[in-house]
Amino acid sequence: MKRLLVLLLLVILCTACTAEMDFPAAYSFSLQWGYDGMCSYDSVTGELVRGAERTGYFLTESEIQEIHALLQGLDIQTYPDIYNPNPALATSPPMTLILTVRTELWEKTVTAEGIAGSYVSDDRMGQRFLEVCAGIQDILEHTAAWQTLPEPDLFFLE
């Protein structure tokens, strides 16, 4: 009887832990990227920005699933609010990545401002963050909506 109670307790605890670790199916996100964060997308409003130009675009079901898989593997809540995935590296110009994930229970924003314009990090956590941001960026930049937006005029002072 005692073993049965212990086993039942373990099953309940494992189920509760697994439920908390699963990334929810209902979520929204926004990503800002590029030099000075000049490009962005918000899945709630559908606003896609490239420099000074903007358009509306809502993700397809396939794109939503791809992004869900990327975000599910990130565990964004473990990241600090202000983050530099590779503080030992610098580039000119630097880039900005701001990733926000919103669910019914929580919202988390990770701001990586003025970081090296490279998607390479010396640590696993930093590399994962960069890969997720690059993956979302890649999905967005391959949409027809993105292709219709003109290239922004870039001016860098070194």
mmCIF file of all heavy atoms in Angstrom, residues 73-105:
data_model
loop_
_atom_site.group_PDB
_atom_site.id
_atom_site.type_symbol
_atom_site.label_atom_id
_atom_site.label_comp_id
_atom_site.label_asym_id
_atom_site.label_seq_id
_atom_site.Cartn_x
_atom_site.Cartn_y
_atom_site.Cartn_z
ATOM 1 N N GLY A 73 11.963 24.859 -27.938
ATOM 2 C CA GLY A 73 13.281 24.402 -27.523
ATOM 3 C C GLY A 73 14.133 25.463 -26.848
ATOM 4 O O GLY A 73 15.241 25.190 -26.420
ATOM 5 N N LEU A 74 13.630 26.696 -26.745
ATOM 6 C CA LEU A 74 14.449 27.784 -26.209
ATOM 7 C C LEU A 74 14.409 27.897 -24.689
ATOM 8 O O LEU A 74 15.416 28.232 -24.071
ATOM 9 C CB LEU A 74 13.994 29.120 -26.824
ATOM 10 C CG LEU A 74 14.801 30.354 -26.424
ATOM 11 C CD1 LEU A 74 16.266 30.204 -26.827
ATOM 12 C CD2 LEU A 74 14.198 31.597 -27.058
ATOM 13 N N ASP A 75 13.276 27.636 -24.068
ATOM 14 C CA ASP A 75 13.088 27.843 -22.626
ATOM 15 C C ASP A 75 13.431 29.292 -22.267
ATOM 16 O O ASP A 75 14.293 29.573 -21.433
ATOM 17 C CB ASP A 75 13.925 26.856 -21.813
ATOM 18 C CG ASP A 75 13.470 26.780 -20.349
ATOM 19 O OD1 ASP A 75 12.381 27.318 -20.026
ATOM 20 O OD2 ASP A 75 14.196 26.195 -19.541
ATOM 21 N N ILE A 76 12.732 30.213 -22.919
ATOM 22 C CA ILE A 76 13.017 31.644 -22.827
ATOM 23 C C ILE A 76 12.958 32.190 -21.412
ATOM 24 O O ILE A 76 13.649 33.141 -21.078
ATOM 25 C CB ILE A 76 12.091 32.449 -23.773
ATOM 26 C CG1 ILE A 76 12.592 33.892 -23.908
ATOM 27 C CG2 ILE A 76 10.638 32.378 -23.308
ATOM 28 C CD1 ILE A 76 11.938 34.678 -25.000
ATOM 29 N N GLN A 77 12.171 31.580 -20.551
ATOM 30 C CA GLN A 77 12.041 32.084 -19.184
ATOM 31 C C GLN A 77 13.328 31.953 -18.368
ATOM 32 O O GLN A 77 13.468 32.586 -17.335
ATOM 33 C CB GLN A 77 10.878 31.410 -18.470
ATOM 34 C CG GLN A 77 9.537 31.853 -19.053
ATOM 35 C CD GLN A 77 8.384 31.228 -18.317
ATOM 36 O OE1 GLN A 77 8.212 30.019 -18.339
ATOM 37 N NE2 GLN A 77 7.606 32.059 -17.652
ATOM 38 N N THR A 78 14.272 31.156 -18.828
ATOM 39 C CA THR A 78 15.541 31.003 -18.110
ATOM 40 C C THR A 78 16.553 32.083 -18.489
ATOM 41 O O THR A 78 17.608 32.168 -17.863
ATOM 42 C CB THR A 78 16.161 29.617 -18.380
ATOM 43 O OG1 THR A 78 16.477 29.507 -19.778
ATOM 44 C CG2 THR A 78 15.229 28.498 -17.954
ATOM 45 N N TYR A 79 16.251 32.905 -19.488
ATOM 46 C CA TYR A 79 17.172 33.943 -19.941
ATOM 47 C C TYR A 79 16.974 35.221 -19.137
ATOM 48 O O TYR A 79 15.860 35.550 -18.748
ATOM 49 C CB TYR A 79 16.956 34.235 -21.431
ATOM 50 C CG TYR A 79 17.495 33.165 -22.330
ATOM 51 C CD1 TYR A 79 16.781 31.995 -22.556
ATOM 52 C CD2 TYR A 79 18.727 33.304 -22.954
ATOM 53 C CE1 TYR A 79 17.275 30.990 -23.371
ATOM 54 C CE2 TYR A 79 19.237 32.308 -23.778
ATOM 55 C CZ TYR A 79 18.504 31.157 -23.979
ATOM 56 O OH TYR A 79 19.005 30.167 -24.789
ATOM 57 N N PRO A 80 18.058 35.977 -18.934
ATOM 58 C CA PRO A 80 17.900 37.269 -18.266
ATOM 59 C C PRO A 80 17.175 38.257 -19.190
ATOM 60 O O PRO A 80 17.163 38.074 -20.416
ATOM 61 C CB PRO A 80 19.350 37.715 -18.009
ATOM 62 C CG PRO A 80 20.174 36.966 -18.989
ATOM 63 C CD PRO A 80 19.449 35.679 -19.276
ATOM 64 N N ASP A 81 16.600 39.291 -18.616
ATOM 65 C CA ASP A 81 15.877 40.288 -19.416
ATOM 66 C C ASP A 81 16.812 41.032 -20.365
ATOM 67 O O ASP A 81 16.455 41.309 -21.503
ATOM 68 C CB ASP A 81 15.165 41.299 -18.506
ATOM 69 C CG ASP A 81 14.069 40.643 -17.684
ATOM 70 O OD1 ASP A 81 13.603 39.546 -18.049
ATOM 71 O OD2 ASP A 81 13.670 41.239 -16.660
ATOM 72 N N ILE A 82 17.986 41.373 -19.899
ATOM 73 C CA ILE A 82 19.017 42.019 -20.721
ATOM 74 C C ILE A 82 20.109 40.973 -20.917
ATOM 75 O O ILE A 82 20.639 40.428 -19.949
ATOM 76 C CB ILE A 82 19.615 43.271 -20.019
ATOM 77 C CG1 ILE A 82 18.523 44.249 -19.587
ATOM 78 C CG2 ILE A 82 20.656 43.936 -20.912
ATOM 79 C CD1 ILE A 82 17.718 44.839 -20.719
ATOM 80 N N TYR A 83 20.461 40.709 -22.184
ATOM 81 C CA TYR A 83 21.313 39.557 -22.453
ATOM 82 C C TYR A 83 22.294 39.859 -23.579
ATOM 83 O O TYR A 83 21.945 40.485 -24.581
ATOM 84 C CB TYR A 83 20.421 38.375 -22.841
ATOM 85 C CG TYR A 83 21.146 37.077 -23.053
ATOM 86 C CD1 TYR A 83 21.909 36.514 -22.041
ATOM 87 C CD2 TYR A 83 21.064 36.407 -24.259
ATOM 88 C CE1 TYR A 83 22.571 35.314 -22.231
ATOM 89 C CE2 TYR A 83 21.713 35.202 -24.458
ATOM 90 C CZ TYR A 83 22.471 34.659 -23.441
ATOM 91 O OH TYR A 83 23.124 33.476 -23.630
ATOM 92 N N ASN A 84 23.509 39.407 -23.415
ATOM 93 C CA ASN A 84 24.503 39.460 -24.482
ATOM 94 C C ASN A 84 25.003 38.037 -24.684
ATOM 95 O O ASN A 84 25.726 37.507 -23.839
ATOM 96 C CB ASN A 84 25.661 40.394 -24.144
ATOM 97 C CG ASN A 84 26.612 40.572 -25.317
ATOM 98 O OD1 ASN A 84 26.626 39.779 -26.252
ATOM 99 N ND2 ASN A 84 27.402 41.617 -25.268
ATOM 100 N N PRO A 85 24.621 37.404 -25.792
ATOM 101 C CA PRO A 85 24.995 36.002 -26.007
ATOM 102 C C PRO A 85 26.487 35.780 -26.237
ATOM 103 O O PRO A 85 26.953 34.659 -26.136
ATOM 104 C CB PRO A 85 24.188 35.594 -27.236
ATOM 105 C CG PRO A 85 23.771 36.855 -27.881
ATOM 106 C CD PRO A 85 23.773 37.916 -26.850
ATOM 107 N N ASN A 86 27.235 36.843 -26.530
ATOM 108 C CA ASN A 86 28.670 36.692 -26.706
ATOM 109 C C ASN A 86 29.377 38.003 -26.355
ATOM 110 O O ASN A 86 29.785 38.752 -27.242
ATOM 111 C CB ASN A 86 29.017 36.263 -28.126
ATOM 112 C CG ASN A 86 30.393 35.649 -28.212
ATOM 113 O OD1 ASN A 86 31.177 35.720 -27.272
ATOM 114 N ND2 ASN A 86 30.697 35.046 -29.335
ATOM 115 N N PRO A 87 29.533 38.286 -25.064
ATOM 116 C CA PRO A 87 30.126 39.565 -24.649
ATOM 117 C C PRO A 87 31.590 39.738 -25.058
ATOM 118 O O PRO A 87 32.086 40.866 -25.089
ATOM 119 C CB PRO A 87 29.983 39.549 -23.123
ATOM 120 C CG PRO A 87 29.790 38.127 -22.752
ATOM 121 C CD PRO A 87 29.163 37.447 -23.931
ATOM 122 N N ALA A 88 32.269 38.670 -25.414
ATOM 123 C CA ALA A 88 33.674 38.770 -25.806
ATOM 124 C C ALA A 88 33.839 39.188 -27.268
ATOM 125 O O ALA A 88 34.951 39.433 -27.717
ATOM 126 C CB ALA A 88 34.373 37.434 -25.575
ATOM 127 N N LEU A 89 32.744 39.299 -27.999
ATOM 128 C CA LEU A 89 32.804 39.607 -29.427
ATOM 129 C C LEU A 89 32.092 40.921 -29.701
ATOM 130 O O LEU A 89 31.043 41.198 -29.119
ATOM 131 C CB LEU A 89 32.136 38.472 -30.214
ATOM 132 C CG LEU A 89 32.230 38.500 -31.731
ATOM 133 C CD1 LEU A 89 33.688 38.431 -32.177
ATOM 134 C CD2 LEU A 89 31.457 37.330 -32.324
ATOM 135 N N ALA A 90 32.658 41.727 -30.595
ATOM 136 C CA ALA A 90 32.030 42.985 -30.992
ATOM 137 C C ALA A 90 32.189 43.171 -32.492
ATOM 138 O O ALA A 90 33.172 42.727 -33.082
ATOM 139 C CB ALA A 90 32.660 44.154 -30.250
ATOM 140 N N THR A 91 31.200 43.795 -33.111
ATOM 141 C CA THR A 91 31.280 44.122 -34.529
ATOM 142 C C THR A 91 30.799 45.553 -34.715
ATOM 143 O O THR A 91 30.115 46.117 -33.869
ATOM 144 C CB THR A 91 30.403 43.191 -35.397
ATOM 145 O OG1 THR A 91 29.038 43.328 -34.993
ATOM 146 C CG2 THR A 91 30.843 41.751 -35.301
ATOM 147 N N SER A 92 31.153 46.133 -35.825
ATOM 148 C CA SER A 92 30.681 47.465 -36.157
ATOM 149 C C SER A 92 30.035 47.394 -37.525
ATOM 150 O O SER A 92 30.703 47.032 -38.496
ATOM 151 C CB SER A 92 31.851 48.450 -36.171
ATOM 152 O OG SER A 92 31.388 49.739 -36.460
ATOM 153 N N PRO A 93 28.788 47.658 -37.669
ATOM 154 C CA PRO A 93 27.871 48.087 -36.606
ATOM 155 C C PRO A 93 27.384 46.886 -35.794
ATOM 156 O O PRO A 93 27.391 45.762 -36.272
ATOM 157 C CB PRO A 93 26.707 48.703 -37.382
ATOM 158 C CG PRO A 93 26.673 47.936 -38.658
ATOM 159 C CD PRO A 93 28.111 47.619 -38.974
ATOM 160 N N PRO A 94 26.937 47.155 -34.577
ATOM 161 C CA PRO A 94 26.363 46.079 -33.768
ATOM 162 C C PRO A 94 24.927 45.810 -34.215
ATOM 163 O O PRO A 94 24.356 46.550 -35.014
ATOM 164 C CB PRO A 94 26.394 46.661 -32.362
ATOM 165 C CG PRO A 94 26.282 48.131 -32.574
ATOM 166 C CD PRO A 94 26.991 48.423 -33.870
ATOM 167 N N MET A 95 24.346 44.751 -33.702
ATOM 168 C CA MET A 95 22.946 44.455 -34.003
ATOM 169 C C MET A 95 22.136 44.396 -32.721
ATOM 170 O O MET A 95 22.691 44.358 -31.628
ATOM 171 C CB MET A 95 22.799 43.162 -34.798
ATOM 172 C CG MET A 95 23.004 41.891 -34.035
ATOM 173 S SD MET A 95 22.544 40.480 -35.076
ATOM 174 C CE MET A 95 23.139 39.144 -34.064
ATOM 175 N N THR A 96 20.832 44.381 -32.908
ATOM 176 C CA THR A 96 19.905 44.280 -31.795
ATOM 177 C C THR A 96 18.957 43.121 -32.056
ATOM 178 O O THR A 96 18.463 42.971 -33.179
ATOM 179 C CB THR A 96 19.105 45.587 -31.627
ATOM 180 O OG1 THR A 96 20.006 46.614 -31.222
ATOM 181 C CG2 THR A 96 17.999 45.452 -30.601
ATOM 182 N N LEU A 97 18.714 42.322 -31.035
ATOM 183 C CA LEU A 97 17.708 41.266 -31.076
ATOM 184 C C LEU A 97 16.835 41.428 -29.836
ATOM 185 O O LEU A 97 17.355 41.422 -28.714
ATOM 186 C CB LEU A 97 18.354 39.880 -31.056
ATOM 187 C CG LEU A 97 19.217 39.496 -32.254
ATOM 188 C CD1 LEU A 97 19.965 38.198 -31.970
ATOM 189 C CD2 LEU A 97 18.365 39.361 -33.505
ATOM 190 N N ILE A 98 15.548 41.599 -30.045
ATOM 191 C CA ILE A 98 14.614 41.684 -28.921
ATOM 192 C C ILE A 98 13.498 40.690 -29.200
ATOM 193 O O ILE A 98 12.730 40.859 -30.143
ATOM 194 C CB ILE A 98 14.041 43.103 -28.739
ATOM 195 C CG1 ILE A 98 15.171 44.113 -28.525
ATOM 196 C CG2 ILE A 98 13.052 43.126 -27.564
ATOM 197 C CD1 ILE A 98 14.722 45.562 -28.499
ATOM 198 N N LEU A 99 13.447 39.654 -28.404
ATOM 199 C CA LEU A 99 12.464 38.591 -28.572
ATOM 200 C C LEU A 99 11.497 38.613 -27.390
ATOM 201 O O LEU A 99 11.913 38.564 -26.244
ATOM 202 C CB LEU A 99 13.160 37.229 -28.653
ATOM 203 C CG LEU A 99 12.256 36.002 -28.767
ATOM 204 C CD1 LEU A 99 11.402 36.047 -30.037
ATOM 205 C CD2 LEU A 99 13.094 34.734 -28.728
ATOM 206 N N THR A 100 10.206 38.703 -27.708
ATOM 207 C CA THR A 100 9.155 38.656 -26.692
ATOM 208 C C THR A 100 8.243 37.484 -26.994
ATOM 209 O O THR A 100 7.830 37.299 -28.145
ATOM 210 C CB THR A 100 8.320 39.954 -26.690
ATOM 211 O OG1 THR A 100 9.174 41.052 -26.391
ATOM 212 C CG2 THR A 100 7.196 39.894 -25.668
ATOM 213 N N VAL A 101 7.936 36.707 -25.972
ATOM 214 C CA VAL A 101 6.980 35.606 -26.086
ATOM 215 C C VAL A 101 5.886 35.852 -25.059
ATOM 216 O O VAL A 101 6.175 36.137 -23.899
ATOM 217 C CB VAL A 101 7.647 34.235 -25.849
ATOM 218 C CG1 VAL A 101 6.615 33.114 -25.919
ATOM 219 C CG2 VAL A 101 8.760 34.004 -26.861
ATOM 220 N N ARG A 102 4.626 35.764 -25.514
ATOM 221 C CA ARG A 102 3.471 35.996 -24.654
ATOM 222 C C ARG A 102 2.577 34.758 -24.653
ATOM 223 O O ARG A 102 2.274 34.216 -25.710
ATOM 224 C CB ARG A 102 2.659 37.195 -25.159
ATOM 225 C CG ARG A 102 3.430 38.496 -25.187
ATOM 226 C CD ARG A 102 2.670 39.613 -25.876
ATOM 227 N NE ARG A 102 2.541 39.413 -27.307
ATOM 228 C CZ ARG A 102 3.345 39.949 -28.225
ATOM 229 N NH1 ARG A 102 4.341 40.722 -27.862
ATOM 230 N NH2 ARG A 102 3.142 39.717 -29.505
ATOM 231 N N THR A 103 2.184 34.323 -23.456
ATOM 232 C CA THR A 103 1.223 33.227 -23.315
ATOM 233 C C THR A 103 0.108 33.718 -22.399
ATOM 234 O O THR A 103 0.155 34.848 -21.910
ATOM 235 C CB THR A 103 1.868 31.960 -22.704
ATOM 236 O OG1 THR A 103 2.110 32.181 -21.321
ATOM 237 C CG2 THR A 103 3.151 31.570 -23.421
ATOM 238 N N GLU A 104 -0.846 32.847 -22.127
ATOM 239 C CA GLU A 104 -1.920 33.224 -21.204
ATOM 240 C C GLU A 104 -1.397 33.414 -19.783
ATOM 241 O O GLU A 104 -1.944 34.189 -19.011
ATOM 242 C CB GLU A 104 -3.010 32.153 -21.202
ATOM 243 C CG GLU A 104 -3.789 32.083 -22.490
ATOM 244 C CD GLU A 104 -4.838 30.985 -22.472
ATOM 245 O OE1 GLU A 104 -4.970 30.265 -21.455
ATOM 246 O OE2 GLU A 104 -5.532 30.833 -23.488
ATOM 247 N N LEU A 105 -0.318 32.713 -19.440
ATOM 248 C CA LEU A 105 0.177 32.735 -18.066
ATOM 249 C C LEU A 105 1.383 33.648 -17.839
ATOM 250 O O LEU A 105 1.633 34.057 -16.709
ATOM 251 C CB LEU A 105 0.545 31.316 -17.622
ATOM 252 C CG LEU A 105 -0.602 30.302 -17.648
ATOM 253 C CD1 LEU A 105 -0.094 28.920 -17.295
ATOM 254 C CD2 LEU A 105 -1.713 30.737 -16.703
#
